[in-house]
C-alpha cells in the first residue's frame, strides 16, 4: 500500500479488508495497473491491489467500485 | 490535488449494520447500489445539502439506506417512498428529499405512488435503480425483467404472452406534464457511470433550486440475482439491457422553470397550531362528571338504510361519551344510500371496550322485519328488544325477552315527520334501560343535532318514545 502523505505521483490504493473482489476496478483501469491478489482477505474475497506504477489518478476505479471506502485515489 | 475517497456524507462507521464488517456495505460483490450510493453521497457533499437531506429508503436491498447516509433517514413501506417523500418535503420544505427505489418497489408495488407524485410535480428527487429483478427476495421476476430473462418465477424466461413486456418507467413518466427532469442512465461502462454521476447531481440541484420533480432511472446490475459474476453482469447490462432501456434525457424543463417555482410548503408541526386545531375539534359539549352506569349496554340497532339507524347509534354513543363512559359505534351497511339494510353496534361501558362488534346484544332495536328475523336469536336471555310495530308485523319472543313494541314511525308522523322515528326509538331505549336521565339526554341532543330548526321536533319525538315506555302511552 502506498503512502498517504505528500506525494508527487498519482496512485490508487485498495483497502484489502473492505474489497469484495468483484474486479470491476480491474476492467475499467485504462493503464491496467490494478490486479487481484491470490490471497484471501478475512471475508474470504480475493482483494484487488495496485501493482505500484503508472496510475494516472483518473479515478475511474473509484467510481467503478461499489464499496464506499475500498478504493482511494490521489492525484497530486 | 484531487483525492477520490469515501464521502463524508457517509457515516464513518456503519454502526447500524449488523455483523462484524462495519465499514463495508451489506451489498453483494459488484452490486450497482454501492456505485450509486457513492455518487449520491458525493453530490450531497458538493451541493452542501447533506445536513438537510432526507433519504427515504424503500423496501428492497436498499432498505438499509439508513445504515450509510449520514443525513435524515426514513424507511418507507413497500412502494410508498414517493408518498412519504411528499409528506417530508411539504412539511419540511428546506429538506432535500431523496426517494431511492428499486424496480420492484417503484414499478410494481409503488406504481400508483410513483405516477401520482410525478404527476403532482412534487419537488423531490427519485432515484430509480432498475436491475430487472427482485434482488432481496431471491430473484423473482420484476416489472422490468427482460423478455427471455430467467428468474425464480420465470424459470423458462419471461414470456411476453404470459408476463407482458418490461415497463419503461422513464418514458411513461415523461408523458406527464409536471415533471421537470427525467433521464435514464446506467452504471455499465465508465463513461456511463460518469454520466450517471452528472445526472444525479443535476437532479438534486433541480430540487435544491425548487424547480420541481426530478427522476433518474439508473440501469444497474444484480450479479447474485442474475447468477453472473460482477464483470459479466456489467457486460450483460451494456449489451442486452440497454437495448430495452435506451439511455437518454426524456424530459428536461430545468432551464424553463424559475427557481422556487415548486414551493408547496405549508407549516408543518407547530404545536400551538395543532393545539388550536384540536381545541376546535373538541366535542360540542363538556364532559363535566362521570355518571353512574348501572349496566353495560351492548346494543344492536337494525333496519333499512335511511331510517336513521346509524344516527340513532351515534346519538346514543354521544350521550355515553358525554357521561364519561367508554363507547364504541360500529356501522355495517350495504352500498345503497337508501333502502338497503343497515345496522350498527354500540357499546357503552364502564371499562375499556375490547371489540366494537356486538354479537350478543342485551339491547336490540329492529325497525324492519328482516332485522327481527336475523337478530332476535342473538339477544341474550332477559335482554330487551324494541320493535317499531308500525313496520314490523312479527312478534318477538316475550317469554325470553323484554319486548317493547311501539309504533315509532306513526308516533314520528304525529310529531311532523317519519324521519324522527329513530329519536322516538331513542326515547324508548333510554327509558327501557334507565341508563340516563331524560333531561341529560335532551341537553345532549341539543348539542349534537346540527340543524337548530329541527331541535324542537326531536325533543318532542324523544319525549314521546320515553313516555310510551314509562307510562304506556
Amino acid at each position: 500500500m502506498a503512502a498517504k502523505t505528500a506525494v508527487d505521483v498519482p496512485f490508487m490504493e485498495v483497502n484489502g479488508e473492505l474489497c469484495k473482489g468483484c474486479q470491476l476496478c480491474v476492467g475499467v483501469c485504462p493503464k491496467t495497473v490494478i490486479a487481484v491478489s491470490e490471497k484471501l482477505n478475512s471475508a474470504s474475497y480475493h482483494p484487488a491491489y495496485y501493482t505500484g506504477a503508472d496510475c494516472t489518478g483518473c479515478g475511474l476505479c473509484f467510481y467503478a467500485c461499489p464499496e464506499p471506502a475500498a478504493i482511494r485515489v490521489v492525484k497530486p | 490535488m484531487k483525492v477520490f475517497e469515501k464521502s463524508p456524507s457517509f457515516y464513518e462507521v456503519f454502526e447500524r449494520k449488523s455483523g462484524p464488517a462495519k465499514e463495508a456495505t451489506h451489498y453483494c460483490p459488484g452490486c450497482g447500489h454501492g456505485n450509486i450510493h457513492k455518487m449520491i453521497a458525493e453530490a450531497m457533499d458538493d451541493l452542501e445539502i447533506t445536513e438537510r437531506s432526507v433519504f427515504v429508503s424503500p423496501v428492497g436491498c436498499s432498505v438499509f439506506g439508513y445504515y450509510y447516509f449520514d443525513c435524515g433517514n426514513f424507511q418507507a413501506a413497500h412502494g410508498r417512498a414517493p408518498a412519504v417523500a411528499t409528506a417530508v418535503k411539504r412539511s419540511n420544505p428546506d429538506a432535500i428529499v431523496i426517494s431511492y427505489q428499486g424496480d420492484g418497489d417503484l414499478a410494481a408495488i409503488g406504481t400508483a405512488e410513483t405516477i401520482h407524485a410525478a404527476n403532482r410535480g412534487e419537488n423531490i428527487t427519485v432515484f430509480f435503480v432498475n436491475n430487472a429483478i427482485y434482488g432481496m427476495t431471491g430473484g423473482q421476476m420484476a416489472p422490468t425483467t427482460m423478455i427471455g430473462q430467467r428468474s425464480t418465477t420465470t424459470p423458462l424466461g419471461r414470456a411476453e404472452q404470459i408476463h407482458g413486456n418490461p415497463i419503461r418507467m422513464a418514458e411513461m413518466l415523461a408523458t406527464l406534464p409536471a415533471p421537470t427532469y427525467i433521464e435514464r442512465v446506467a452504471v455499465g461502462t465508465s463513461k456511463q457511470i460518469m454520466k450517471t454521476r452528472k445526472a444525479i447531481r443535476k437532479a438534486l440541484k433541480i430540487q435544491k433550486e425548487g424547480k420541481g420533480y426530478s427522476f433518474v432511472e439508473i440501469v444497474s446490475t444484480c450479479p447474485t440475482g442474475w447468477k453472473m459474476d460482477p464483470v459479466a453482469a456489467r457486460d450483460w447490462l451494456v449489451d442486452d439491457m440497454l437495448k430495452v432501456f435506451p439511455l437518454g434525457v426524456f424530459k428536461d424543463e430545468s432551464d424553463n422553470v424559475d427557481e422556487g417555482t415548486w414551493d408547496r410548503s405549508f407549516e408543518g408541526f407547530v404545536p400551538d397550531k395543532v393545539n388550536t386545531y384540536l381545541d376546535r375539534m373538541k366535542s360540542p359539549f363538556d364532559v363535566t362528571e362521570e355518571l353512574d352506569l348501572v349496566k353495560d349496554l351492548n346494543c344492536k340497532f337494525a333496519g333499512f338504510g335511511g331510517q336513521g339507524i346509524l344516527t340513532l347509534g351515534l346519538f346514543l354513543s354521544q350521550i355515553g361519551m358525554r357521561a364519561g363512559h367508554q363507547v364504541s359505534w360500529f356501522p355495517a351497511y350495504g352500498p345503497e344510500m337508501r333502502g338497503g339494510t343497515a345496522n350498527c353496534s354500540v357499546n357503552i361501558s364502564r371499562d375499556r371496550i375490547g371489540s366494537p362488534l356486538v354479537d350478543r346484544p342485551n339491547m336490540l332495536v329492529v325497525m324492519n322485519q328482516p332485522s327481527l328475523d336475523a337478530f332476535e336469536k342473538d339477544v341474550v336471555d332477559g335482554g330487551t328488544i324494541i320493535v317499531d310495530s308500525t313496520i314490523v308485523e312479527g312478534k318477538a319472543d316475550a317469554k325470553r325477552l323484554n319486548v317493547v313494541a311501539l309504533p315509532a314511525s306513526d308516533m314520528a308522523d304525529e310529531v311532523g315527520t317519519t324521519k324522527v322515528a329513530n329519536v322516538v326509538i331513542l326515547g324508548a331505549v333510554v327509558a327501557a334501560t334507565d341508563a340516563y336521565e331524560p333531561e341529560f339526554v335532551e341537553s345532549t341532543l341539543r348539542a349534537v343535532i346540527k340543524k337548530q330548526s329541527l331541535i324542537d321536533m326531536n325533543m318532542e319525538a324523544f319525549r314521546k318514545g320515553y313516555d310510551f315506555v314509562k307510562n304506556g302511552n
Side-chain angles (χ1 to χ4, degrees), chain A residues 37-67:
Chain A
S37 172
E38 286 187 10
K39 289 183 188 157
L40 292 169
N41 66 14
S42 62
S44 195
Y45 295 119
H46 290 287
Y49 69 95
Y50 178 38
T51 53
D54 295 338
C55 172
T56 62
C58 69
L60 292 183
C61 58
F62 174 80
Y63 291 105
C65 174
E67 278 301 313

Side-chain angles (χ1 to χ4, degrees), chain B residues 102-160:
Chain B
D103 43 282
D105 190 80
L106 182 140
I109 294 149
T111 324
E113 286 78 1
T114 298
I115 290 174
H116 291 292
N119 192 45
R120 295 190 304 268
E122 296 296 338
N123 190 20
I124 59 172
T125 302
V126 177
F127 294 122
F128 169 37
V129 182
N130 172 5
N131 62 9
I133 207 156
Y134 276 89
M136 179 183 245
T137 47
Q140 293 84 359
M141 188 195 91
T144 49
T145 295
M146 306 264 288
I147 295 294
Q149 186 184 339
R150 291 167 194 263
S151 70
T152 54
T153 47
T154 54
L156 302 177
R158 180 175 187 163
E160 182 185 349

